[in-house]
Amino acid sequence: MLKGRESLIRLIGKRRTLSGDLSVILSALPPLVRGEKVTAVGDEEEDVASTSLSASYLVHCPVCGTAMRGGDQAINAHLDFCLVKGKKRKLTQSTLFQLKYSPKAKFESNSPSNNTLGFVNQMGPTAVSFIKDSDCQKSENLCVHATYEDQSVGNLCDEKVDALYQDKMPLGSNITTSQELNQLILETLIVGRRFSIEKELRLGTSIILVRDPNNIKDCNAIKVLSADPGCGKVFGYISRDLSKYLSPLIEKFSLSFEGCVTSAPEHIFGPVPIRISCLSPASSNMIDSEVFRSLWANVVHVVESAKTNPTSGKTKYQENLCLLIKEVLQDNRHLFTVDELSFLESFLSLSNDCQRLFIRLYMRKGPWFRLSTMSYVEILNIEEATKELSERGYFRLSSAEVPLDDLKRILNVLAIPDLRFLQNIVDKRKNLSSRKQDIIASLVSSYEGRQCPCLPAVLIKKYGVFVTISETAESLFWRAQRLFFLNGEQDLSAFLFADLQIIKYPAYNCITTDKIFRNRSDMLSFEEAVKVAQIMDQSIEENDSITVAQCIKMSELGLSCFSEHAIQSETTFLSLFSASWVYSKVVLLGISFLEKEHRYIDAITLLRRLLSVFTCDSRRGYWTLRLSIDLEHIGRPTESLIVAENGLLDPWIRAGSRLALQRRILRLGKPPRRWKIPSFSMTFKRKLNEVHLQGRPLNCEAGMKSRFYGYDGEQCGVEELALQYYSSAGGQWKGVQSESGIWLNIFGLLMWDIIFSDVPNVFCSRFQTAPLDLDTDNFYISRKDKIESHLQNIQAGMAEEILIASWQSNEGTSCKGVNWDRHSLCDLRAVVTCVGGSCLASLCRHLAQDYGSWSSGMPDLVLWRFHGNYTGEAKLVEVKGPRDRLSEQQQAWLLFLMDCGFNTEVCRVSHEGLHNS
């Protein structure tokens, strides 16, 4: 894989659907000018100078009507393309001439109140209770009875909300006698109908509630069973929110509940309304119990909340997307135009069927779907939902005239027998191709050559209507999803994993004082850069070198629009969401591509561009190293040496990159280029402890990973062979093959409270496993006092205690670098104890100061052994096979560990015979 490709793939995440030829799409993208603005709802900035109007004002193409922004060059290129296609001109749209004199569009802000608590309540009791508020602490079990417009509740902190609801507690929550308890009727729903064998429920069916403690999804689950003696039919479950409080009442206080079905569900898997009451007599001591009263108050509260704010039978994935949209609109209204806000808000008012169908198709690969083959049990009328979504602009339907690219994608939906049927209609020759793509190419060729112009009509008549998500809907929902998760790797499935407790996210407070995107222009620039990144990735995948070159050129142009001052002034970790950051990744991948093509002069130009634009960036080490290497490739060793020497003066060049530059200087800086030996030459003369191990090889071929017969006679790699050696003849060591993994585990556990401490702007999404600034210098700087105080405790010998407490309280919770399954608590405790507090404190400080540069390249093995009285020693071993050598990053780690007092060693495995112990 080319250098930077994997990072670019993670940045892009789920690819957006791009219609048309990639090079045409690329040419249609407007150039980005730093500081351009498009006023949207919430913008309060003044008009820019008339010289920048052409880059900030949205202008519609007079031919196709597409809204664009940017300079004349991009608009003219788009206009030329439209004129070539021969489309009729739309005279109602603004012309390019009018653009020169158009005032900037302004809109009044009509954003609703900033009420987080209100919109969470709208989602009903099953919505994720996560409230983002920089002024309030989070309360996991908080349920709020506020409408969206209720200003009095929206700005209250948790204590005030609790006080408010002491006076507004639902009827039945303050019971005083057992008679009141037994007479109280609760109305709720049966959910989880998919797990029921009995699909039909009639009005008046008697039911009972039974605990299901062995349920792997929810330990508080409560089953709804038939009340008929000996029947035992399972009708479904009580909702998770209600079970959370009913379950301990049934288990601890021996209460029992029965009831009946009050109405039939809309469909067999829909929620079933029921009415239940308590049967078991309750003693006065039970009712007077503070625990009982608290649980019962919560039961009544959840039931009443469902009445006042019903979810109308919403599925969980519906609730999740609606919650996502509401949060994005609340926090980022300034990034959307009035029309875009209206479009997103209209989704919340769609029918259940429409919302469900849209989400179903949005989550699928697509982009086109065959309507006649779609079937979802929770969607009652797919045809009506499709029609409504099409009328509201969320869907686009196939027609008798479709663009060529859409026709290709529609044909790709069909199975081979269907394609052969169409092929026989178009071309009745025998011995036609049987490969799907060949048949599609033949059909498209016939349509394009006007041999079969009615092909789209035949498709609709034979196979029905095909549907795809509209470009507007796809773009806006992609943007909302990106703003919510702040990355391209997560999507709505993150909600599912959290709901099913497959992934448990850590607890932290979101304290936001700065916006990720300051204005709409920054966000649009970022989106366009991501689109260029996607085209770059697709082009490399398709080996389209022409489009790759265009992406590189456009990314270089994008970087040239960002001044050095602008890059330096941005907060380091927030700059990850800038267009310049995305373009730098595209350019880096382009450099790797050019070097593979031996186009070193072009690569040198791009490397100089990156180094001139990003003056404060930890990636400068790799860029400088590549620049020095490429200069040597083109026969300019003196210039290569100067670049390497200047690189050592750069404080942003660290770790292995710094060592690699020093090595290049020693090699290139010989007389007559340089007569004086640099002082750092002693670094490479430092003696590393080495042990030589001989093994019986399985293969000796170059380019293949070395395999050996182990001491037990089984096949193994060099690391396993080394572990066997150290556990026997090497000194009775215990150990694991870890590389950086075990140390990142230890760092994450020891520094857990520091990592998830309250720092502004580093947590902006509920689905983060680390703060945004962990890989930057800002992590240590903004927490320096806390970190140093914590490291003193580690140095004083409290590391094992901290490790155990962190493991027990956070086990299973996702955290960057922490793998709960790879290393046991027993092994981690042994390593921490044997390494010692002083070495651990130095290692944790080093990672805290520069996690991004030092989170890889650590020694392969961690070994330990105890000497009695709970004291021991540890050793870190880098294992190298017959043809391997230490990388600069590995050597940098070994030198650092030696300076910190670690016992380090390099184990070199050779082929010559079997080691004789």
Side-chain angles (χ1 to χ4, degrees), residues 406-438:
D406 286 340
L407 180 61
K408 293 178 183 177
R409 292 186 171 98
I410 291 173
L411 290 172
N412 204 49
V413 174
L414 298 177
I416 289 181
D418 298 326
L419 292 171
R420 284 175 178 166
F421 172 80
L422 294 173
Q423 192 178 30
N424 288 330
I425 295 177
V426 174
D427 193 342
K428 299 184 179 296
R429 292 177 299 172
K430 297 181 180 180
N431 300 323
L432 296 175
S433 175
S434 59
R435 291 181 67 252
K436 183 173 184 177
Q437 294 305 318
D438 291 341

Side-chain angles (χ1 to χ4, degrees), residues 761-775:
N761 303 315
V762 299
F763 292 109
C764 303
S765 164
R766 74 195 62 185
F767 297 107
Q768 289 179 227
T769 59
L772 294 176
D773 64 346
L774 179 60
D775 288 334

Side-chain angles (χ1 to χ4, degrees), residues 34 54 549 651 769 865:
R34 188 67 174 176
S54 61
T769 59
R865 59 185 176 190

Side-chain angles (χ1 to χ4, degrees), residues 840-908:
L840 273 179
S842 298
L843 179 64
C844 289
R845 180 181 291 106
H846 202 57
L847 287 172
Q849 290 174 339
D850 194 357
Y851 189 92
S853 299
W854 291 96
S855 56
S856 63
M858 296 190 72
D860 296 309
L861 308 182
V862 179
L863 307 172
W864 66 87
R865 59 185 176 190
F866 288 96
H867 301 310
N869 299 325
Y870 208 63
T871 60
E873 61 176 319
K875 179 185 291 189
L876 280 67
V877 180
E878 181 67 42
V879 184
K880 287 300 171 188
R883 293 177 296 272
D884 295 339
R885 67 175 185 86
L886 287 172
S887 70
E888 282 81 7
Q889 181 75 0
Q890 292 168 341
Q891 191 168 357
W893 258 118
L894 289 171
L895 294 174
F896 168 76
L897 293 170
M898 289 170 61
D899 292 338
C900 291
F902 283 86
N903 181 7
T904 63
E905 196 167 86
V906 178
C907 178
R908 299 192 180 275

Side-chain angles (χ1 to χ4, degrees), residues 311 313-320 352 356 359 378:
T311 60
K314 288 184 181 293
T315 59
K316 193 63 179 177
Y317 63 81
Q318 266 182 282
E319 296 175 7
N320 292 337
N352 282 338
R356 293 169 185 169
I359 299 169
E378 75 274 23

Side-chain angles (χ1 to χ4, degrees), residues 36 81 85 91 218 305 337 365 378 406 463 553 562 568 571 595 598 627 703 706-707 756-757 800 894:
E36 61 178 335
F81 175 74
K85 292 178 68 175
L91 296 176
D218 182 10
S305 295
T337 64
K365 185 176 180 180
E378 75 274 23
D406 286 340
Y463 303 109
K553 186 65 178 177
F562 296 88
Q568 286 180 303
T571 306
E595 288 176 337
H598 302 291
L627 177 58
S706 298
R707 300 287 295 173
F756 297 105
S757 60
E800 186 179 8
L894 289 171

Side-chain angles (χ1 to χ4, degrees), residues 559-629:
L559 286 180
S560 66
C561 297
F562 296 88
S563 67
E564 180 178 317
H565 172 73
I567 299 297
Q568 286 180 303
S569 63
E570 291 179 348
T571 306
T572 306
F573 62 91
L574 292 184
S575 67
L576 303 178
F577 304 98
S578 65
S580 60
W581 178 267
V582 181
Y583 283 130
S584 70
K585 288 185 171 291
V586 178
V587 169
L588 178 60
L589 182 57
I591 290 168
S592 182
F593 176 82
L594 293 172
E595 288 176 337
K596 185 180 178 182
E597 300 284 320
H598 302 291
R599 296 165 56 185
Y600 298 115
I601 295 179
D602 294 335
I604 289 169
T605 302
L606 294 178
L607 286 166
R608 292 192 188 279
R609 170 67 68 186
L610 289 174
L611 289 167
S612 66
V613 173
F614 297 89
T615 57
C616 301
D617 197 297
S618 58
R619 299 172 294 172
R620 289 178 60 84
Y622 178 78
W623 298 341
T624 303
L625 179 61
R626 294 311 309 173
L627 177 58
S628 178
I629 292 173

